[in-house]
Amino acid sequence: MAAIAWAQPQPEPPTDLGARVVGQSYPFKLVAINRNCNLPQDFRFVVSGGDWLRIDGDPVARGVQRGEQRTVPARIDLTGRPPGIYTAHVTVICDTCQVLVFKTCRISDRNIDLRVQAVSPPQPAQPRPQPQPAKPKPPPAAAALPDATPYTDIDPDLLRRAPGAARAALAAAEERERQARAAADKAQKDLDDIRKKRGPCEEELAALRAAQGEAEAAAAAAAAAAQAAQGEADKAQQAVDSFAGEMAAAERKMSDAQKTLQQQAMYRSIVGRENGVGSAKYQDAQAQVDKANDAVNAAQAAYRALRASQAARAAAAAAAKANAAKANAAAQAAAAAAAKAAAATAAKEKECLGLAAAESDAEGAAARAAGEADGAADAARKAEDDARAAAILSLEEEIAAKRRHCDEMRAAARAHAQLQEQALKALQQLGALDPGAPTDGLDEIWDDYVGLGYTTFVNLVATGSGLVTPGAAPTAGGPQMLLSVLQAGYGIMAIRQSALTPGTYANLRDRMISGPDGSANQWVRTNGFADDKAGAEKVLNEMDRIMNDTGVIAKDMARAIEADRICQEELKALEARLAAAK
């Protein structure tokens, strides 16, 4: 950007220097142009009204030739200044124009108002994460939730756990960032396009200035030639005009000679009449006549010679006049060509100055757009952090709920296992599982099963160590080994029960009813298998289930173990996801 002075008055709109960052110092040029003064001039720049603009060195652009320009270095200094609008006034004074004034040099002081906008430095751009590869699709229940935005590095599955407001805020912030980045890219492209135009414009301007100089030199030469030709024409005309006096003198001399001849002839006639033609006096008179006649002839010859010379001089004057007219026409054409060249140069100067102003404006716009893009990026990162924090909080709540669910499942399995243990012991006491044949040796095996195996299962569930790893080998005392023992024990029970009939089991129920308390519920409580009626009913129901399906306990255990395994695996997966998110 440059402030420019002409050696002729120009309209003075305020010059906007665009936006500049506070705390910085920028070089600046004040340009003086001699538009129409034939002699070189000195232009002085005086800055007032703003100490943010200062001239470095000599404030005078000296010896600016016509059609040329010279610069005075200056500086925009915004160090130690807050953001805001700053103005200054520059007065351009033609020092030498005040001494020498020419017709073609229209002079006046030039006043220029300058304005600059001081802006805060843009925040350093943080590298944005690259778009993540496509993640597996979420389960159908979460399919309606939005996926991760292209700019965020939050795991999509984690982002889905954030509240809808946080996800919407993140999407809106990143859309604003995208728009701000696009605007910044466009502003930078506009600036680059202007800069691409400035170079060719300056080159064309230099060529036009050279052409203007040549045209003005040709016009000056043509004007000098026209002036010389006019001088020759004037000189030739003066020669013609001065020769007219000689012609008049020749005419007078010829007239005088003729008068003298006439007088001598009359005198001779008088002498002849009086003295006779043969007298000596007559002969003298004749001699005077001859002499006068010779004088007439000489005067006439001189006159004729002068007339011929006058025609030649008139022709030369006419030719000189025609040549002067031709040279004057050429000078006018050269002057018109020079004026046209000057107009083309002025138009190109205006174009280049416009590009310079546009470049300054575009620089400010690009700086502002970049700052806005950085601000939008910061806002997007904050929204991303907020969404991640909200998602982590949601995940922590989900983990707590899952942990409670697993504990509740284990408590329910433990209570159910204790209930089934009481039902098995009740059936054993009634003899439903041991109808006879006390010598087959199976009673001890079954007692060990009920007393040890099932108690071990209850303890495993109670302590939370009942996880079954898929594909793992059975371990002594572990739930998989226990399940194998249970299956074998129920095989024995099934064999021992094969001799029973529904009627036999009904007889066993009748035995419970026929006791002193008079009811099966009371029998269960009396024998210590339940503490109250509700508990006794649950024991009786489990007894019925076992007698109807001897494998039901093993199935219940397998379901409980598998459900506990799945719940614990889901809990561990959620905890791993939380650790990765943090």
Side-chain angles (χ1 to χ4, degrees):
M1 188 66 187
I4 297 178
W6 285 271
Q8 62 181 30
Q10 295 288 331
E12 304 300 336
T15 300
D16 190 352
L17 303 182
R20 296 291 187 274
V21 178
V22 297
Q24 302 292 324
S25 178
Y26 301 90
F28 185 71
K29 292 181 179 180
L30 297 169
V31 182
I33 298 178
N34 184 350
R35 287 278 185 142
N36 46 35
C37 292
N38 291 328
L39 293 180
Q41 304 298 333
D42 295 344
F43 296 92
R44 178 182 302 275
F45 291 85
V46 179
V47 179
S48 61
D51 57 356
W52 57 270
L53 179 64
R54 68 172 186 266
I55 296 176
D56 292 341
D58 188 359
V60 180
R62 302 180 185 278
V64 184
Q65 299 285 346
R66 178 178 180 179
E68 293 183 353
Q69 66 180 35
R70 291 193 180 179
T71 61
V72 170
R75 183 162 296 276
I76 299 173
D77 188 1
L78 299 179
T79 56
R81 297 181 182 276
I85 302 297
Y86 295 93
T87 59
H89 184 76
V90 178
T91 301
V92 187
I93 303 171
C94 179
D95 287 350
T96 52
C97 290
Q98 296 174 357
V99 178
L100 301 174
V101 180
F102 302 92
K103 292 182 179 179
T104 59
C105 184
R106 298 184 298 275
I107 64 171
S108 67
D109 291 350
R110 179 177 173 86
N111 298 309
I112 305 171
D113 291 321
L114 301 180
R115 173 184 180 274
V116 67
Q117 180 182 8
V119 298
S120 299
Q123 296 297 322
Q126 298 294 328
R128 295 294 298 151
Q130 296 297 321
Q132 300 296 312
K135 302 293 178 63
K137 291 184 178 180
L145 298 178
D147 290 333
T149 54
Y151 297 102
T152 185
D153 60 355
I154 302 179
D155 180 79
D157 188 67
L158 176 63
L159 181 61
R160 293 186 186 94
R161 287 177 164 80
R167 295 198 304 273
L170 176 59
E174 292 190 334
E175 175 60 20
R176 287 192 293 271
E177 180 187 6
R178 185 194 66 77
Q179 294 178 356
R181 288 293 178 196
D185 292 341
K186 182 179 183 302
Q188 185 61 44
K189 182 180 181 300
D190 293 342
L191 175 58
D192 294 339
D193 291 342
I194 292 173
R195 286 174 173 170
K196 290 178 182 177
K197 294 177 181 178
R198 280 206 66 189
C201 185
E202 295 296 339
E203 293 176 358
E204 293 174 6
L205 178 58
L208 287 173
R209 284 173 176 163
Q212 179 185 356
E214 294 175 357
E216 290 177 346
Q227 185 176 2
Q230 186 62 48
E232 292 297 327
D234 293 343
K235 184 178 178 181
Q237 185 61 44
Q238 289 175 358
V240 171
D241 294 341
S242 64
F243 199 70
E246 295 182 17
M247 286 291 294
E251 287 180 352
R252 286 194 300 274
K253 186 175 182 180
M254 184 176 60
S255 176
D256 290 343
Q258 288 176 346
K259 289 180 180 180
T260 300
L261 177 60
Q262 290 175 356
Q263 291 174 356
Q264 291 298 328
M266 289 177 63
Y267 177 73
R268 185 192 60 185
S269 298
I270 293 172
V271 170
R273 283 195 304 270
E274 292 179 354
N275 298 305
V277 295
S279 64
K281 194 174 182 178
Y282 181 85
Q283 293 299 320
D284 291 337
Q286 183 61 47
Q288 292 298 323
V289 170
D290 293 340
K291 182 179 179 181
N293 188 59
D294 292 339
V296 169
N297 291 334
Q300 289 177 344
Y303 180 77
R304 285 193 298 270
L306 286 175
R307 284 181 62 89
S309 177
Q310 184 183 30
R313 292 187 181 190
K321 184 178 181 181
N323 184 56
K326 182 178 180 181
N328 186 58
Q332 290 178 353
K340 183 177 180 181
T345 300
K348 184 57 68 174
E349 285 175 348
K350 182 178 180 181
E351 178 184 350
C352 293
L353 289 174
L355 287 174
E359 180 182 9
S360 178
D361 293 342
E363 286 175 348
R368 288 191 296 272
E372 292 172 359
D374 292 339
D378 292 340
R381 281 191 292 273
K382 184 180 183 302
E384 181 179 316
D385 293 340
D386 293 344
R388 180 184 285 105
I392 289 175
L393 178 61
S394 177
L395 182 56
E396 289 174 341
E397 293 173 350
E398 185 177 352
I399 289 173
K402 176 62 72 174
R403 187 175 291 113
R404 289 193 299 271
H405 176 64
C406 291
D407 292 342
E408 291 170 356
M409 286 179 56
R410 283 184 172 180
R414 182 166 59 250
H416 195 193
Q418 292 170 346
L419 177 64
Q420 288 179 333
E421 182 180 14
Q422 296 302 317
L424 285 171
K425 290 180 179 180
L427 288 171
Q428 185 183 25
Q429 183 170 328
L430 286 173
L433 301 180
D434 188 11
T439 60
D440 58 10
L442 295 177
D443 290 339
E444 292 79 4
I445 298 175
W446 180 250
D447 289 340
D448 292 340
Y449 160 70
V450 173
L452 176 62
Y454 208 84
T455 301
T456 302
F457 170 74
V458 172
N459 291 335
L460 288 171
V461 175
T463 58
S465 59
L467 282 176
V468 178
T469 303
T475 57
Q480 288 181 321
M481 176 63 75
L482 175 61
L483 192 56
S484 299
V485 174
L486 288 174
Q487 290 170 346
Y490 276 108
I492 296 172
M493 187 174 70
I495 294 172
R496 296 292 301 277
Q497 194 187 14
S498 62
L500 295 175
T501 62
T504 305
Y505 178 59
N507 292 334
L508 294 175
R509 297 277 294 202
D510 291 341
R511 189 189 306 170
M512 290 188 290
I513 297 172
S514 63
D517 52 12
S519 72
N521 187 291
Q522 184 63 45
W523 184 89
V524 170
R525 285 182 281 134
T526 301
N527 287 275
F529 300 121
D531 296 330
D532 52 28
K533 287 184 178 181
E537 285 300 320
K538 292 179 180 179
V539 172
L540 289 171
N541 289 335
E542 286 300 317
M543 292 170 64
D544 292 341
R545 288 181 71 231
I546 293 170
M547 294 308 298
N548 291 329
D549 182 3
T550 56
V552 70
I553 297 178
K555 294 175 184 177
D556 289 347
M557 288 183 178
R559 282 194 295 268
I561 292 172
E562 180 64 12
D564 185 68
R565 179 189 67 80
I566 293 173
C567 191
Q568 293 297 327
E569 286 185 348
E570 291 176 347
L571 179 60
K572 284 189 175 182
L574 290 174
E575 290 174 340
R577 187 170 295 137
L578 177 61
K582 291 183 175 181

